[in-house]
Amino acid sequence: MSSTLAGAFGVAALFVAVLALVFAIQALRARTVSSDHGSPTALPQPEPQPAQPEAKPGTVKSELRKLGKDLEVTRGELKETLQHLAVVRYDAFGETGGKLSWSMAILDDNGDGVVLTSINSRADARTYAKEIKSFTSESKLSPEEEEALETLRKESEQP
């Protein structure tokens, strides 16, 4: 098998592994959130709105109010999805690798998520995953992992 084909299979396998990890984190987060709220179907509740007279069911006004409430719930749920991404590419072994190594931070609006790192050499590739809570990790982070986190931290501070 040619090295190009082996490399393509390696990249495809790494991509599948990253997707599986993201789905596992989302499932774990959903289980943790539901146990924290005491109910598996607990959803973020919209802030109370000033009392307005009830519109007749089926009217445009009542449908707009329903849609507004649904939108607020959806916005609350979106804050807990992994939607922010930063990638730092680098040469892990000096000038020999062609910047094939990378660190990627995938976080939600609260700064929770994961940092994935792949260190690539001529002979092999090693992949690492570290959990992130509030833009920090209990594990020691490499400078490149810190750089990816810092990029997302700065983005979250901008209005």
Side-chain angles (χ1 to χ4, degrees), residues 46-57:
E47 294 181 16
Q49 300 292 325
Q52 297 177 356
E54 276 301 312
K56 293 180 187 176

Side-chain angles (χ1 to χ4, degrees), residues 23-42 80:
F23 285 123
I25 289 170
Q26 287 292 75
L28 181 61
R29 179 173 289 143
R31 191 175 71 184
T32 304
V33 168
S34 66
S35 66
D36 289 347
H37 293 299
S39 153
T41 59
E80 295 180 356

Side-chain angles (χ1 to χ4, degrees), residues 94-105:
E95 296 297 320
T96 62
K99 291 192 174 185
L100 296 178
S101 298
W102 50 266
S103 292
M104 175 173 52

